[in-house]
Amino acid sequence: MFDLLLKGSVVLPDRIIEDGWVAVRGERIGAIGTGEAPQATKMIDAGTDWIIPGIVDGQTHATSYKGLPGFEATSQSALAGGITTMVDMPYDNPDPLNTLERFDAKVQAVHDYSHCDVALYGTVAPGQGTDLMQPLADRGICAFKLSLIESHPVRFPRIPADEILDILTASVPTGLPVGLHNEDQEIVRAMIERHKAQGLTRPEHNETSRPEVAELSATAQFMELGAATGAHVHIVHLSSPRGLQMIAEYAARGVRATGELCVHYLHFDAARDIERLGARMKVSPPIRSGMIEDLWQACEDGLPALISSDHSSWPIDNKLAASIFDAGAGIPGLETLGPSFYTDAAERYGEEGAVRRLVDYMCLKPAEFFGLAPRKGAIAAGADADLVVLKRGPKPFDASQTRDGLNWSPYDGETFTASVATTVRRGEIAWDGAQILSTAGSGAFIPRN
Amino acid sequence: MFDLLLKGSVVLPDRIIEDGWVAVRGERIGAIGTGEAPQATKMIDAGTDWIIPGIVDGQTHATSYKGLPGFEATSQSALAGGITTMVDMPYDNPDPLNTLERFDAKVQAVHDYSHCDVALYGTVAPGQGTDLMQPLADRGICAFKLSLIESHPVRFPRIPADEILDILTASVPTGLPVGLHNEDQEIVRAMIERHKAQGLTRPEHNETSRPEVAELSATAQFMELGAATGAHVHIVHLSSPRGLQMIAEYAARGVRATGELCVHYLHFDAARDIERLGARMKVSPPIRSGMIEDLWQACEDGLPALISSDHSSWPIDNKLAASIFDAGAGIPGLETLGPSFYTDAAERYGEEGAVRRLVDYMCLKPAEFFGLAPRKGAIAAGADADLVVLKRGPKPFDASQTRDGLNWSPYDGETFTASVATTVRRGEIAWDGAQILSTAGSGAFIPRN
Amino acid sequence: MFDLLLKGSVVLPDRIIEDGWVAVRGERIGAIGTGEAPQATKMIDAGTDWIIPGIVDGQTHATSYKGLPGFEATSQSALAGGITTMVDMPYDNPDPLNTLERFDAKVQAVHDYSHCDVALYGTVAPGQGTDLMQPLADRGICAFKLSLIESHPVRFPRIPADEILDILTASVPTGLPVGLHNEDQEIVRAMIERHKAQGLTRPEHNETSRPEVAELSATAQFMELGAATGAHVHIVHLSSPRGLQMIAEYAARGVRATGELCVHYLHFDAARDIERLGARMKVSPPIRSGMIEDLWQACEDGLPALISSDHSSWPIDNKLAASIFDAGAGIPGLETLGPSFYTDAAERYGEEGAVRRLVDYMCLKPAEFFGLAPRKGAIAAGADADLVVLKRGPKPFDASQTRDGLNWSPYDGETFTASVATTVRRGEIAWDGAQILSTAGSGAFIPRN
Amino acid sequence: MFDLLLKGSVVLPDRIIEDGWVAVRGERIGAIGTGEAPQATKMIDAGTDWIIPGIVDGQTHATSYKGLPGFEATSQSALAGGITTMVDMPYDNPDPLNTLERFDAKVQAVHDYSHCDVALYGTVAPGQGTDLMQPLADRGICAFKLSLIESHPVRFPRIPADEILDILTASVPTGLPVGLHNEDQEIVRAMIERHKAQGLTRPEHNETSRPEVAELSATAQFMELGAATGAHVHIVHLSSPRGLQMIAEYAARGVRATGELCVHYLHFDAARDIERLGARMKVSPPIRSGMIEDLWQACEDGLPALISSDHSSWPIDNKLAASIFDAGAGIPGLETLGPSFYTDAAERYGEEGAVRRLVDYMCLKPAEFFGLAPRKGAIAAGADADLVVLKRGPKPFDASQTRDGLNWSPYDGETFTASVATTVRRGEIAWDGAQILSTAGSGAFIPRN
């Protein structure tokens, strides 16, 4: 007698079982089968809809606006988006996660507020030294994050190259990847000043003020620091195919180099969408023009390590500025991550092709990357019972109904061809397609293993 | 209530479930789980031993000696070796499989004699034309086989380059790979004549009379024919890393090129073993000296498409000749394929590394390659219940106890670190580690899908 | 006081001296200068016309029709084409150059009949063995020639792969390149038979009966034999860019691999010209359709080792056959080699670009390749005074006026944008733009150094 | 009747004429020959010694210490080192060459003080903008120079990345290369501070404080800026093979990327020489340990664009500091450039191999690179009569006898296997092996053509 049984088209790592079922015992998957199913206390029959693993969103900023209590709304939005594990960035409000105290506080906040599971990035402040890196790694953070450009002097500072070198060196014994926000500060700041001086402050000037070369030169610099130290160097978002290609070239000559894509780069095009969306699509690095098809090809070539949302918890007020340079960067993305990717992929590869790629880039790969496998990322006997029913068929996306407490989105009004009908998080039905059924604090901190 | 339950360390395509079970209903796998298991009529508890998919041996010559009744002994030997599907070569005694009549007769022989499942290669005789290739493909053969060297004028003839070109062209709409025995006839025959003329007819002269260049030039020629036609060109056995590398280079520039490794090239070394084994280790292309480590590295680099036994049903009399050039080429290999690979791999990668690689190269990859997946090659709900208990621990190999009707082997007297304790073929316990329990004709022909 | 002075635009290996002069003392160049010139017994003032080194034609068949006396007319035609050194192939009528006796006879014939200098290829007959290769190399032949297809059983036989392997092995200590006529005999012969059987015997069927794959598979086979032996393997004519690319790939991995282009592949296009020219443009390998631009690009990429004429001394009767398969292959080319290349190159790269490329591919490179430098191939103090005045300006080409004793050409009636106004061979004015002024036997055998 | 005749082993771009001569008329080479020579007013018979083109030193700092009058001593030292053209860096004392006025003043200084010919780099000051780049190019500067590290706030400042981007963009229509001093300022400065803080201030700490990664990351950053703009990006000194390799990889994907080697990196080894030489071998980037053989191999692979001296006019006082970080960087190098390279090359490649490589990397290549060919860099009729007699045979190097006004050198006391016996600069015998015979101001400014 199992506790829960899901029936449907079960998407396993290597195949899809059309007439499949997944049986849950407690928090874990007990069995996977086809045909006659065992008995269970509860049963969800998804028919021919997809049953996929809970999505592992490799990049979120849950607590960068409201601080640690921000987990409450954000984690509900995650579950509504089929995300059962968020990998949260360290740039918390008011202080980043760079000490053991802040680590402990953030883990406590997960246990107090979060509805979904959470893995954590750590960081190192300028001048801090590297002494806490190993202790943080020992407590289970899954990666470190740095930036070559300052967005905020305390939470999101620029780290000088010599300190990056130290941090990379110190990261090697931890085995953890070191992620980088890859924009050259001198280029970006000077370009913005020039734009401002010329009165070029409309939304379309965001792209021109943050040129691709600012990304590529920062990326190349970081790759060389990685090559010199043997560290795992990871670019947390690349807006163009050339960056992914560069990383592949470094990897081919033995550098532990990886790069990540965010789903909005696969969906929006600056030339096409900027007039309509304005600051609503401002992210950093910016969404560029004419990149979409080559980025999809890069995915087909296996170049990204994973695809994430880079969800930011900014209210829309943050976007309403006369100058694009005064508007905040970052967009909400938890409830659109899976459906947007699926919709765009299905146009190119059909529905089965879409769901396979979604599971690959948003479940299997991020779980492996952040050391959360074999618990997370796959439907497998013994794994955590993180399961999502992905319902096939068109559904309009209405941002006013999102659970992130923000209620706006650049995707507002689009129609996706799949929607999240059920989310099971460690055996508990946490989202039923209409309501969040879990309680705050039911989420857990998942240490890297 | 299932029909059969196996418990143990279950080796899935992407992970190993330590405390796992596989439940069988009829001929198929019904469920896979961990922890408390469902009830079943029969139960095999393998403890911590490995439960792997039945091996798909991609290259056997079951009926080249005794003719079609040869299936009877050979298929029992297969089961004793954990092989549930043989991909049998077309060079049958007395006639090769190049017509629909012979196809029908061979399928009938499977149903009359075979204990294991069988997929079939077809061939084309010199001068025959290509008209029967599509009909043979329609009936379910999984590949075509050709040779650039004549071993027997009727069964194993050399096909001229212009006819190979026609055959490759005709293969494209079938989608089937065309396998090649890759030795240049002019070079090999001339070299043998020279050796004979000089009285150099000892076993070690087999290697020198069939130099690597005879393989490589035939391989390059075939690759170019493949490049010109768009056909899938497959080399059925490469004895050296350079050939695998060449194929990778052709593949990198878009040719549908693959190459296969046989397990004996990973185990024997001519310089080390020829004095001890003599003609017992004669195969074609020959086992060379000093190749083993680079071939293992090629496997780590993912170069071979699959690894097979190239089992030949020659009695030992066939080897007892004064001159190495009069000894038959080919060795029995069904009962040593898995254990030999596992033993050698475990020395390099540990036991878990060994079993993962075995399942990859001998189950998953050949099943995909020959179009037998998703029925064959993996433990998955809905797949055929072809299951093997691979018992961990040393066991001496005694060729006199083999079930192939030949009772000799170059591996005789070696100790392997794993043995086949149970073989389940489509739900039936066909081998219990001591006895064949299945009946002749219980095997089935498996068409390419 | 010099014996001869030429003034004009002197084309040196690295630059062009606009107001230059070359002063000759005896058979050698004594000085090169600009401005005020020294005194000399004779003076030729070429104004702004080019003064280039005598062309080294890397592939001629001077004596394959008329036998050794064939040198007389052929060498006069060479001089009229600005060629001061022919590298002559060994397929003489009635016997090829594969013994010391035939070498001596051919050298004697040079001294009896030739007006231009001559370097010699040797060959090896099937079954002959390799004993004479070193003695022939010691006497000064500059390369060996083989074929994988039989055109004539005695003079132009196919060499089996095992013997090629022996020949390549024996060539290594000589240091000489081994040239190959690269067509697969089985493919070409079978294709021709099929064409004949279907009545497809018009000129355009020459191309289809000798497909590119016949070249490429023979080339790949030969490259592998070269890789195994360490020999310098040279393809004497490639009709398509892919072959040149393949050779570059082998060279990049350390094989001593080179390939040659003939000028007609850069000028004629089968699709465009076959109706007009018919058998007049039959060569082997055939001129193909749509290759010209990619072959010029291959030259820009530096892929060919040199560019030659492959001049054949067939009378036009040899071409007049009802079936293209009965027409002889080969065309006269000595008097069109330089002008044709210059004309086509000038359209692409301008006149200075044309003359630089001509000197590079037809003087410097072949002289280096065949070991004739530093005597041949460049205008340099101390080098042989082989000098050509290449007159700029249009000139119609009238094949009836050629000196080759054949008086036909596929180029007949074309207008070239440069013509050979003077040819100086080792200090002697041998051609004045209208008359041959040298005597038979004034040419010399030039050994490889 | 010529004005000057030199006889000897004349090293031409493509060959050496053993019994050669070069005849000079006025400032230019009138003729080159072999054998009987024409008459001339003066004659120098070098016997079997080498006659090479005047060396073009691609990187000197003639006026960075004494200001523009610094040309006087430096240019005499150049001539004594066989250098007839210096390509002088713009970091003059007290102001760099970044305006037309300073250009004019520097050209005037050449005409007032210099004994040798001079080509000029220009630069751009931080914040200056790019308006003067084209005018400077129009007046004939041959390249621009920038740095990513500040050595002096006015003369040798760091240029921010955004301004480098502007400068590269503006360089494209000029066609000029933009050279970079490639060290990351943040890394180097932080490392030096750490060394100082730990009291690690001995000479060997120069290497550890300027790690290879500081070079490589700056190089990669600059390459990406080049890739984005289409500019010709040139690294003016690379201390390790990896940098040269990186540049080759960028060049292979179409970036106009080049890199330069300085001769001291081919001669000194930090681990071997630092104790003996101390601050006397301090240059930036530093001479490293264990690089020499791989750098020679890089030269054999053709990776450097040219090899220069990076001559700096620092008096020895500048080196005498308690801390290595207080010692000046840079060494005198004009009189050792050619002899040191020749000596080291001759050990590896013999004397003829040495002189060919010297002429290639120090005459032909820099003259082409800086747009000084065809006047400079080669012995050719019509070229400037810049000629050097390189005397074969051992000669100890005594720094106290140098003409650079500095009279110290890290090479002091070494024995070279060639010496500069005569230097002819535009037809004038300017150095006779013992005395400077030319007058100040006899040198000329050579504009890029």
Side-chain angles (χ1 to χ4, degrees), chain A residues 166-184:
Chain A
D166 293 339
I167 291 165
L168 291 178
T169 302
S171 77
V172 174
T174 72
L176 266 58
V178 180
L180 181 79
H181 181 115
N182 60 324
E183 291 183 286
D184 183 279

Side-chain angles (χ1 to χ4, degrees), chain A residues 14, chain B residues 11-16 52-58 296 298-308 341-342 345 352-369 376-379 390:
Chain A
D14 73 319
Chain B
V11 185
L12 301 183
D14 72 320
R15 72 187 61 209
I16 295 174
I52 65 170
I55 292 173
V56 177
D57 187 347
W296 277 102
C299 294
E300 286 310 285
D301 296 339
L303 300 191
L306 62 132
I307 301 175
S308 62
F341 181 88
Y342 182 94
E352 187 174 319
V355 81
R356 285 181 181 281
R357 284 165 177 81
L358 187 160
V359 168
D360 189 35
Y361 273 119
M362 297 188 175
C363 304
L364 292 164
K365 280 181 158 64
E368 279 292 336
F369 187 89
K376 303 294 189 186
I379 297 180
L390 198 64

Side-chain angles (χ1 to χ4, degrees), chain C residues 10-285:
Chain C
V10 180
V11 185
L12 301 183
D14 72 319
R15 71 187 61 209
I16 295 174
I17 309 179
E18 296 295 341
D19 177 26
W21 50 259
V22 183
V24 177
R25 185 181 293 120
E27 297 197 338
R28 302 235 164 176
I29 293 171
I32 297 156
T34 183
E36 191 187 329
Q39 292 203 303
T41 309
K42 287 187 236 172
M43 202 268 275
I44 295 171
D45 189 340
T48 60
D49 289 332
W50 307 117
I51 298 177
I52 65 170
I55 292 173
V56 177
D57 187 348
Q59 186 171 184
T60 65
H61 296 268
T63 54
S64 55
Y65 175 62
K66 286 200 173 170
L68 298 180
F71 274 129
E72 183 150 13
T74 311
S75 65
Q76 294 184 56
S77 186
L79 292 171
I83 297 160
T84 50
T85 307
M86 296 191 295
V87 182
D88 205 57
M89 283 291 167
Y91 299 119
D92 304 322
N93 190 358
D95 292 305
L97 196 174
N98 66 327
T99 66
L100 298 181
E101 293 68 30
R102 289 191 192 127
F103 171 84
D104 290 343
K106 194 160 185 180
V107 168
Q108 185 59 48
V110 172
H111 293 152
D112 289 345
Y113 299 112
S114 187
H115 291 247
C116 72
D117 290 350
V118 178
L120 294 174
Y121 262 88
T123 190
V124 179
Q128 177 184 353
T130 60
D131 288 353
L132 292 178
M133 290 177 66
Q134 186 65 57
L136 283 167
D138 293 343
R139 297 214 182 181
I141 65 163
C142 61
F144 292 99
K145 172 82 179 284
L146 305 174
S147 179
L148 272 165
I149 190 169
E150 177 186 315
S151 297
H152 182 284
V154 171
R155 282 160 51 205
F156 203 77
R158 178 179 182 278
I159 310 290
D162 58 295
E163 296 190 31
I164 292 182
L165 204 53
D166 294 338
I167 291 165
L168 291 178
T169 301
S171 77
V172 174
T174 72
L176 265 57
V178 180
L180 180 79
H181 181 115
N182 60 324
E183 291 185 286
D184 183 278
Q185 176 162 300
E186 284 182 333
I187 295 174
V188 170
R189 290 199 166 176
M191 291 286 180
I192 289 174
E193 287 316 306
R194 291 181 205 188
H195 277 73
K196 287 181 179 174
Q198 299 174 58
L200 303 171
T201 61
R202 290 176 44 77
E204 62 264 34
H205 299 122
N206 190 43
E207 183 184 6
T208 53
S209 70
R210 303 180 94 104
E212 190 185 5
V213 66
E215 264 188 72
L216 296 177
S217 63
T219 301
Q221 184 182 9
F222 191 57
M223 290 293 119
E224 288 296 329
L225 302 181
T229 54
H232 177 172
V233 282
H234 177 65
I235 303 293
V236 298
H237 27 42
L238 292 138
S239 69
S240 71
R242 170 62 195 140
L244 288 162
Q245 191 58 47
M246 188 198 302
I247 288 166
E249 290 159 5
Y250 273 94
R253 65 177 186 85
V255 179
R256 295 176 59 209
T258 51
E260 182 172 336
L261 202 51
C262 298
V263 75
H264 35 263
Y265 299 116
L266 288 165
H267 186 76
F268 294 109
D269 180 281
R272 184 189 65 196
D273 301 321
I274 194 72
E275 194 164 0
R276 176 170 63 88
L277 294 172
R280 278 176 171 78
M281 60 175 264
K282 181 177 176 184
V283 291
S284 298

